Amino acid sequence: MAATVSADPQVTYLELSEDQGSAHKFYEVTVKEAELTIRYGRIGESGTTKTTVCASPEKAAAQAAKKIGEKVRKGYAPAVRGVRQRRSVTRRQITSSRSTAHQAPLLWRFRSGSPAFGVYVGEEHAWVGNEQGDVYTLTTDGQVTGRFGLPDGVKCIVADDWWIYAGCDDGKVYDLGGKVPRVAYEIAQDVDIYWLDIHDGVLGVADERGGLTTVDHEDEFQWRRNAQGSSGWMVRCDADSVYHGWSAGVARYAKRGGDQLWHTRTKGQVLFGWQEEDEVFAGTSQGWVHRLRKADGSEAAAYKCDAAVFSCAASPDGEFVFAGDNHSSVYCFAADGTRLWKLGTGCGSAYSMQYRDGRLYLVTTDGSLACLDASQGAVRAAEQGTLPATAEVSGAGVERVAAGAELETVSAGAVAAGTGAGGIEVECVAEGGRLRVRVVTPGYDAALRVQFPKDVRVAGARYLVAEVRRSESGGFYRARGEIKRLL
């Protein structure tokens, strides 16, 4: 394609959309004099924009022609923006009927506003994320303490040490550990996230096609495996392995390299997964929860529910196993498979759950985060019709903090004078063709992994390069408390 130069902006818009495949993305190139702007992403979304100032208009036109040629060879074709619409994301659609079992003893319930998948419960706070992109934090006693607003529906919420992440339908994973949510990972544009988990900065992503992808703490692709099946609703990560559950069972992969170590078939499609130190648990469409040994995939026990299992969990010692079906019932089993009780949630079917300190936290199809008293006394009383007064928790008036990528900077002089409010000195380093941000503040342990939010890594690197060129003292960066594991 010949390079052309024009005083008016020259825009080339391409799309790649496969009716039978997963690709549904665009690529737009704009040349305005010596300025080259490339915008790309999923069709129907704003995408990511990068602008480069070339040495001359001729250089910009030539570079544009090269980029367009590369995309055309990959199957992109000219298109009219707006004709194709955004591809719908996968929602878990079920009809949640009311349970006929006795009502469970709920201590409190918070209505988030739409169906909720994401839940994580720490020592002090519980997190719930719903299909509207709202993430609320609550104390374990049911007081709302914060609200984040993400651009798309929340699929799941996971923790890695003290970091908290939410995986969303926009293909991005947001760090919720600071005052403002920021993008930490961006999954490939052709991956429809079903579930994710993380351990020591390495993210595992299970998708609609039954695929499994891992990404490291600097948002770099590690490896991908395509399972013989679909609907990867389970992924769990530990120090050595990634455990993947999909329509044909559960498999264990080596964390380094992705070699499959074992594969165990299940009774029905895997719809949810849980893990403890030595075992993984998989809930299935045929009402089973399989308890599998991590070492070899052998079955330690199996637990039978009365309907499809949409969530499961276990106590840390493995003494109790919990499950939630699509008829709004919750079950508790002894380790050997004996059913101890079955109760109704009263607020829809549990899409996800977590057990902690004698309580079972559920997020449900009607958008509730419910705290169930799972103690023996409370359950026995509920089976006899005696229930605690359930507190209805309100989040009215809590400010919604939207995701952002704004940089807050302080000068070198302010840091040197001790007035930089905790500023951290960093440098930009070119490694393997990529620009990286590294901490150089004295006292920082280089063995620890620092994860700069993705948007900040991109924008911050550009800012710092500009500052280093302008100032002999270099550039400084501070991200509103977002940097973890520093001094």
Side-chain angles (χ1 to χ4, degrees):
M1 183 176 293
T4 59
V5 179
S6 172
D8 297 325
Q10 300 295 306
V11 181
T12 302
Y13 179 81
L14 308 172
E15 290 183 348
L16 174 61
S17 183
E18 302 168 345
D19 293 336
Q20 302 301 319
S22 58
H24 193 63
K25 47 195 177 181
F26 73 88
Y27 193 84
E28 182 182 75
V29 178
T30 302
V31 178
K32 184 178 181 181
E33 297 180 346
E35 187 175 271
L36 173 65
T37 299
I38 296 174
R39 188 171 66 92
Y40 60 93
R42 287 187 173 96
I43 293 173
E45 298 181 3
S46 58
T48 300
T49 301
K50 295 182 179 180
T51 298
T52 303
V53 178
C54 300
S56 67
E58 290 78 13
K59 293 282 188 181
Q63 185 68 9
K66 178 182 177 182
K67 295 290 187 181
I68 293 167
E70 290 173 352
K71 291 301 178 181
V72 169
R73 286 190 291 274
K74 291 180 179 180
Y76 284 77
V80 178
R81 188 188 303 112
V83 173
R84 286 193 181 97
Q85 299 300 307
R86 175 180 176 177
R87 181 172 288 172
S88 60
V89 297
T90 304
R91 305 287 194 193
R92 178 175 282 179
Q93 300 293 341
I94 66 171
T95 301
S96 179
S97 57
R98 188 173 182 83
S99 175
T100 58
H102 290 288
Q103 170 63 45
L106 302 185
L107 299 177
W108 54 264
R109 178 174 65 182
F110 170 68
R111 300 176 188 270
S112 73
S114 70
F117 284 103
V119 64
Y120 174 73
V121 184
E123 292 183 4
E124 299 179 355
H125 290 90
W127 305 70
V128 55
N130 65 25
E131 287 187 352
Q132 291 181 346
D134 286 316
V135 177
Y136 292 88
T137 60
L138 298 90
T139 65
T140 53
D141 290 329
Q143 299 297 315
V144 178
T145 58
R147 180 186 182 189
F148 293 142
L150 303 183
D152 215 326
V154 176
K155 273 290 198 294
C156 51
I157 299 176
V158 295
D160 187 20
D161 202 352
W162 57 78
W163 294 2
I164 306 293
Y165 296 96
C168 291
D169 286 329
D170 63 357
K172 298 178 181 178
V173 179
Y174 293 84
D175 177 8
L176 305 180
K179 296 179 181 179
V180 177
R182 300 181 187 275
V183 176
Y185 300 85
E186 187 166 4
I187 311 306
Q189 297 169 8
D190 59 351
V191 173
D192 184 357
I193 297 175
Y194 266 23
W195 208 259
L196 58 82
D197 196 19
I198 189 168
H199 184 276
D200 198 22
V202 177
L203 183 75
V205 183
D207 61 49
E208 177 269 341
R209 292 173 290 166
L212 175 64
T213 304
T214 62
V215 184
D216 74 5
H217 73 289
E218 290 191 317
D219 193 27
E220 293 187 0
F221 171 81
Q222 296 293 284
W223 51 263
R224 176 175 174 80
R225 297 292 177 267
N226 293 310
Q228 297 300 310
S230 62
S231 304
W233 279 113
M234 170 187 173
V235 60
R236 295 293 174 182
C237 305
D238 64 18
D240 303 312
S241 305
V242 182
Y243 304 87
H244 182 219
W246 73 102
S247 60
V250 179
R252 176 189 175 191
Y253 295 88
K255 195 171 184 179
R256 287 183 176 272
D259 292 337
Q260 182 175 302
L261 304 178
W262 53 254
H263 172 222
T264 301
R265 290 197 170 272
T266 54
K267 298 176 181 177
Q269 301 180 20
V270 175
L271 302 179
F272 193 85
W274 185 259
Q275 74 168 333
E276 291 298 333
E277 184 175 356
D278 298 317
E279 298 168 315
V280 290
F281 301 77
T284 76
S285 59
Q286 293 186 13
W288 288 92
V289 177
H290 294 273
R291 183 174 189 157
L292 306 177
R293 296 180 180 90
K294 286 185 174 181
D296 58 10
S298 61
E299 186 171 86
Y303 311 92
K304 186 66 173 74
C305 301
D306 300 328
V309 176
F310 275 78
S311 58
C312 59
S315 58
D317 57 7
E319 182 179 356
F320 301 109
V321 176
F322 303 91
D325 70 16
N326 65 343
H327 290 171
S328 303
S329 296
V330 178
Y331 305 76
C332 178
F333 299 90
D336 64 2
T338 303
R339 183 188 293 187
L340 301 177
W341 49 262
K342 173 186 177 182
L343 297 168
T345 69
C347 55
S349 299
Y351 271 143
S352 188
M353 61 172 59
Q354 184 178 339
Y355 175 84
R356 190 181 183 99
D357 298 332
R359 296 179 175 185
L360 187 64
Y361 296 84
L362 315 171
V363 289
T364 71
T365 50
D366 78 353
S368 293
L369 169 60
C371 178
L372 189 159
D373 187 345
S375 66
Q376 182 176 348
V379 169
R380 295 292 172 259
E383 291 176 327
Q384 298 300 317
T386 301
L387 297 169
T390 302
E392 292 290 342
V393 178
S394 172
V398 179
E399 180 184 1
R400 190 177 195 260
V401 180
E406 178 185 355
L407 289 174
E408 180 178 337
T409 60
V410 293
S411 69
V415 174
T419 59
I424 304 299
E425 184 177 2
V426 299
E427 65 179 0
C428 295
V429 180
E431 291 182 0
R434 299 190 62 162
L435 189 62
R436 305 181 187 278
V437 181
R438 295 286 185 256
V439 177
V440 296
T441 298
Y444 168 69
D445 184 355
L448 298 177
R449 297 176 178 175
V450 175
Q451 183 184 54
F452 289 89
K454 182 178 178 67
D455 290 337
V456 171
R457 291 199 299 268
V458 174
R462 291 175 181 163
Y463 170 82
L464 288 169
V465 169
E467 286 297 298
V468 169
R469 288 173 178 170
R470 289 201 305 264
S471 170
E472 294 181 357
S473 58
F476 289 79
Y477 164 79
R478 184 165 68 88
R480 304 180 187 276
E482 297 288 324
I483 302 176
K484 319 287 194 307
R485 301 179 181 177
L486 286 179
L487 303 178

